[in-house]
Amino acid sequence: MPKARQPETISRLPPYPKIVILLSERMSPLQFAPFSSAVDSGFWYQLTQKKLDVFKLDDGPVDMSGFYSTSSAPGLPPVFHVDYSALESSGSRGSVCCVSGTLLNTNTLEDFKRKDKRMLLQENAQQKIWAAIEDGRALQDPSLLQHCLFLTFADLKKYHYYYWMAFPALTFPKDVICEKEQKLTDCFSQEKLERLEQSLASLDPCDRGAFLVGDQGCHPLRERDSLKGKILLGFTDPSGFAKHPGWPLRNLLAFAAHQWGGNSWEVVCFRGKAENSLLLSLRTEGEPTVNGVCPEAVGWEMSKGKLVPKKVDMSESMDPHKLACNAVDLNLKLMRWRLSPGLELERIKDTKCLLFGAGTLGCNVARCLMGWGVRHLTLLDNSKVSYSNPVRQSLFTFEDCKKGGVHKATAAAQHLREVFPGVEATGKVLSVPMPGHAVPESMWPQVKNDVAELEELVSSHDVLFLLMDTRESRWLPSLLAAHHNKLVLNAALGFDTFLVMRHGMRKEREDETPHLGCYFCNDVVAPGNSSADRTLDQQCTVTRPGLSYVGAAMAVELLVSLLQHPLRGLAPASKVGECGEGELGLVPHQVRGHLHNFSNSILASQGFDRCTTCSQRVLECYRREGSDFLLRVFNDPDHLEKATGLSELLVGLKDDEIIALSDEDSC
């Protein structure tokens, strides 16, 4: 079989030496300029987002769209564009021709390689193009004569994309001969050219890709029977080659041969302007016949003269911050796709967390929250980083200790942003007033300002984590949380034990029905100054180094389990042996862990009606008196026992009637 002659126009263009593909495997005098795809970087970003949010692990066909237009410069191949909107919707883009398409995104590179490309192309041509020709839909909507097939594999961890574009074209009729090529300006009068351009612009967008040309201008294909005089086929030609029409003419000829028969056609190749357009006289040897089977299709795009896919590396051109956000989201979404389909990740992501304490527990809790995708974190602490901190507190370095140390809250927030730029981390250097820590009268204005700022922070966040060293430092945040009915997670460390608990929430603030207790509900004495006369070992948090990681992780996991429970913070305390109603299982009230025997105990307790923090008596005093009530508590912790009635309860109580539990006692 003789070798096909390459067109002279193309042979003079080194970048496109083999751009022309024959209509079929047989020799054909008419050669077409196939599409060369141009895929914008925006499409890959949108594909990444759709894969994460919508497509998940589904590798089924997805609707997409692309477009082509007339060539802007002579000698350039037809270009088919796929941009950022390809996965949204298809439609008119003014002077361009939109083409619907099918995206097949495989989940593995092996699947991408194993796909039977020939079968995919033939099936796509049969289902999308030939079926529309046979049942007449293409007559009503000529845009159905063009379709694209996009086979991809998206490596979402490395942002490498493998793709292969196909433009199915039917090899029917088999042999098409171009008898004559003319410039349109040599054949049409100026008046007729003007009518052609004006009438084409007025056509419906779906009719602009393929149309009829009569004496009065352009008409939709479906009006052929009503037209008189000489009728020509016309199409929007994306080719820039002088003698070679663009790829869309293939399927238009297949449609005309099937719909109207005949063995000769005159075709107007409209290229944006009349002076660039062509008139071709085409014929076939004999009458084309159809045997009811879809003709063979060709159309896989060539790369450097070979039928091979292409690869794009977007890792360096995409915004690193967006890459980091996508990577974090991907890890969590893989968890939902594979293991927990009901996991509501957006609820976790949108939760605003306020961390009281940016030390050993605070650093680890913040890191774990980021691992779950929490984006909004505020850390509150007034101490500075010391030389003993970095080895135990995971957000600090040796540099943070120099020159007296930087404030923990601001340093922790800065390092969180360095770890993950997508997090909104804020550090607040603020003191928390405490019962038993007297406030001189000269400091009252400052303390009132601090309380007002604390209340604003509590009201603007969804969850509070209490991660401080002393018992009394947890009192005011617990009171403010109860006042605003916020969810509280409390974590405390002993030498080899930890306590993680959630404070009970009420359906209504004034509701007196039983609820789970808070950190202070099991106490019969008010919190006081526990730091007075402390020895060195009592001034420092002396714990086994791994304990803070366990306690911090337990606190965060308890929060996430609560967020996935139907009742959220109102969920009842789960018991050992229960399955749990939440997506992630149990939601206990308290977890006490023991490293000395590597065991955990799940506990629960009801709220105490004389609690010094969350009881209605205390909350009512705060609502009524505000900061004045707080100042009395700070200067006189016994005031809480009087306000709640604990002092009356303790009158006449014998020592052997009080049970004292320490962290070392078994439960």
Side-chain angles (χ1 to χ4, degrees):
M1 182 178 294
K3 187 176 181 180
R5 176 181 61 83
Q6 295 293 325
E8 295 179 0
T9 305
I10 299 174
S11 63
R12 293 198 297 267
L13 295 173
Y16 310 100
K18 298 181 180 178
I19 193 91
V20 172
I21 298 178
L22 294 182
L23 182 64
S24 69
E25 295 179 357
R26 300 175 58 186
M27 284 291 293
S28 174
L30 181 64
Q31 295 181 326
F32 298 81
F35 278 120
S36 177
S37 65
V39 186
D40 294 353
S41 59
F43 170 79
W44 299 121
Y45 180 73
Q46 290 298 325
L47 175 60
T48 299
Q49 298 304 309
K50 291 288 185 178
K51 184 67 177 172
L52 291 173
D53 299 332
V54 182
F55 301 160
K56 302 179 182 178
L57 295 179
D58 184 6
D59 59 359
V62 176
D63 291 336
M64 60 165 289
S65 65
F67 64 94
Y68 66 89
S69 60
T70 54
S71 180
S72 59
L76 293 180
V79 178
F80 183 86
H81 296 272
V82 179
D83 68 3
Y84 65 94
S85 64
L87 294 170
E88 299 300 328
S89 61
S90 61
S92 172
R93 293 172 179 266
S95 62
V96 304
C97 297
C98 283
V99 176
S100 62
T102 301
L103 170 69
L104 294 175
N105 187 76
T106 61
N107 287 318
T108 67
L109 183 57
E110 290 70 23
D111 284 346
F112 177 85
K113 294 177 179 178
R114 282 196 298 262
K115 289 286 187 182
D116 188 330
K117 313 301 188 299
R118 186 180 183 87
M119 182 187 71
L120 285 176
L121 183 66
Q122 192 65 31
E123 288 180 349
N124 196 261
Q126 161 68 45
Q127 297 169 5
K128 301 298 184 180
I129 298 174
W130 187 247
I133 292 175
E134 284 199 311
D135 62 21
R137 284 180 292 126
L139 184 65
Q140 303 301 320
D141 183 2
S143 67
L144 297 177
L145 294 174
Q146 306 302 329
H147 196 79
C148 65
L149 175 62
F150 205 6
L151 179 64
T152 65
F153 164 65
D155 186 339
L156 301 186
K157 294 185 76 68
K158 298 179 180 179
Y159 297 94
H160 293 172
Y161 302 90
Y162 298 82
Y163 71 98
W164 204 346
M165 182 76 80
F167 309 95
L170 303 172
T171 59
F172 173 76
K174 280 289 185 181
D175 296 307
V176 180
I177 300 170
C178 182
E179 294 186 319
K180 194 173 184 180
E181 302 166 358
Q182 304 174 79
K183 288 187 176 181
L184 200 59
T185 51
D186 296 337
C187 309
F188 285 14
S189 66
Q190 184 62 34
E191 181 183 358
K192 190 171 183 179
L193 289 174
E194 291 177 358
R195 284 201 303 269
L196 186 149
E197 291 182 356
Q198 293 173 1
S199 59
L200 179 59
S202 65
L203 287 180
D204 188 273
C206 69
D207 292 317
R208 293 177 191 163
F211 48 88
L212 299 173
V213 179
D215 293 336
Q216 301 303 314
C218 298
H219 305 270
L221 296 179
R222 55 187 171 274
E223 295 182 4
R224 183 178 184 276
D225 293 339
S226 63
L227 297 179
K228 297 180 180 180
K230 188 175 182 179
I231 303 173
L232 311 178
L233 285 177
F235 78 107
T236 299
D237 188 0
S239 174
F241 298 120
K243 297 183 178 181
H244 308 288
W247 200 252
L249 179 54
R250 285 180 174 274
N251 292 335
L252 175 57
L253 292 177
F255 166 81
H258 178 274
Q259 184 73 26
W260 300 310
N263 63 352
S264 63
W265 302 272
E266 287 191 286
V267 181
V268 174
C269 306
F270 187 75
R271 299 182 172 182
K273 297 180 180 179
E275 56 266 27
N276 298 331
S277 302
L278 301 177
L279 178 63
L280 305 180
S281 297
L282 310 177
R283 69 174 178 83
T284 61
E285 296 290 351
E287 184 81 10
T289 58
V290 181
N291 58 7
V293 178
C294 176
E296 183 181 357
V298 294
W300 283 108
E301 183 184 5
M302 299 183 75
S303 177
K304 298 180 180 180
K306 298 180 180 179
L307 284 170
V308 293
K310 298 178 181 179
K311 177 184 176 183
V312 174
D313 182 355
M314 297 293 296
S315 59
E316 294 184 2
S317 60
M318 294 180 73
D319 184 346
H321 289 191
K322 292 182 178 179
L323 292 178
C325 292
N326 289 342
V328 170
D329 291 341
L330 174 61
N331 288 336
L332 294 170
K333 289 174 180 179
L334 286 172
M335 185 188 307
R336 179 173 62 188
W337 299 341
R338 288 295 193 188
L339 303 173
S340 185
L343 197 60
E344 298 183 51
L345 295 176
E346 289 301 317
R347 178 173 297 143
I348 302 172
K349 182 178 180 179
D350 295 338
T351 299
K352 297 181 179 180
C353 296
L354 176 61
L355 279 59
F356 284 83
T360 307
L361 280 170
C363 289
N364 294 332
V365 165
R367 289 297 298 264
C368 197
L369 286 171
M370 279 205 311
W372 266 109
V374 174
R375 292 291 199 268
H376 191 114
L377 295 170
T378 302
L379 298 98
L380 191 151
D381 203 308
N382 72 333
S383 59
K384 295 184 176 182
V385 182
S386 65
Y387 286 104
S388 65
N389 293 155
V391 295
R392 297 180 297 113
Q393 301 177 5
S394 57
L395 288 175
F396 305 128
T397 67
F398 177 73
E399 295 297 321
D400 297 322
C401 310
K402 294 180 178 179
K403 299 180 181 180
V406 296
H407 281 101
K408 288 185 176 181
T410 54
Q414 176 185 340
H415 292 315
L416 285 172
R417 294 190 295 270
E418 291 171 357
V419 171
F420 176 43
V423 70
E424 296 181 35
T426 305
K428 293 283 186 180
V429 180
L430 192 63
S431 297
V432 177
M434 296 174 280
H437 293 251
V439 179
E441 189 172 352
S442 61
M443 293 292 295
W444 285 6
Q446 179 62 46
V447 170
K448 289 183 178 181
N449 289 337
D450 290 345
V451 170
E453 186 172 358
L454 283 171
E455 181 150 15
E456 173 61 28
L457 287 170
V458 170
S459 65
S460 61
H461 287 75
D462 304 308
V463 178
L464 279 64
F465 281 88
L466 305 186
L467 312 167
M468 300 87 100
D469 289 336
T470 62
R471 175 171 171 256
E472 63 268 23
S473 63
R474 302 167 191 258
W475 179 80
L476 181 57
S478 299
L479 172 66
L480 296 177
H483 174 67
H484 291 281
N485 205 28
K486 299 289 184 176
L487 179 59
V488 175
L489 278 299
N490 217 314
L493 304 178
F495 166 63
D496 59 0
T497 61
F498 69 84
L499 171 67
V500 170
M501 68 176 297
R502 57 182 170 111
H503 290 193
M505 296 178 66
R506 296 180 173 90
K507 293 182 181 179
E508 299 293 339
R509 186 173 294 174
E510 302 297 335
D511 190 2
E512 291 289 354
T513 57
H515 62 279
L516 295 176
C518 75
Y519 184 74
F520 297 92
C521 276
N522 289 330
D523 295 342
V524 292
V525 292
N529 189 345
S530 61
S531 60
D533 300 322
R534 277 184 146 196
T535 61
L536 179 61
D537 65 307
Q538 294 171 330
Q539 294 174 25
C540 301
T541 305
V542 181
T543 67
R544 291 174 61 168
L547 193 67
S548 67
Y549 297 93
V550 178
M554 195 72 73
V556 173
E557 294 298 331
L558 178 54
L559 167 66
V560 175
S561 294
L562 282 169
L563 294 177
Q564 302 304 307
H565 193 281
L567 298 178
R568 314 293 185 265
L570 296 172
S574 300
K575 299 177 183 179
V576 177
E578 292 182 345
C579 296
E581 298 178 19
E583 177 69 20
L584 296 178
L586 299 181
V587 284
H589 178 219
Q590 302 177 35
V591 179
R592 185 179 290 268
H594 311 264
L595 279 188
H596 64 276
N597 60 3
F598 291 93
S599 65
N600 289 334
S601 302
I602 294 180
L603 309 172
S605 61
Q606 292 297 319
F608 183 28
D609 63 356
R610 300 192 187 191
C611 174
T612 58
T613 305
C614 70
S615 66
Q616 289 297 332
R617 303 184 188 194
V618 173
L619 293 176
E620 184 57 37
C621 287
Y622 177 65
R623 296 186 192 114
R624 185 174 62 249
E625 304 174 29
S627 58
D628 292 336
F629 167 70
L630 297 180
L631 286 172
R632 284 194 288 272
V633 172
F634 300 151
N635 291 305
D636 179 15
D638 293 339
H639 184 72
L640 279 174
E641 296 180 2
K642 297 174 184 176
T644 57
L646 276 178
S647 55
E648 300 174 3
L649 182 67
L650 293 174
V651 173
L653 196 64
K654 298 179 181 179
D655 291 343
D656 58 1
E657 294 177 323
I658 300 177
I659 300 175
L661 290 176
S662 71
D663 288 338
E664 285 73 28
D665 291 321
S666 60
C667 300

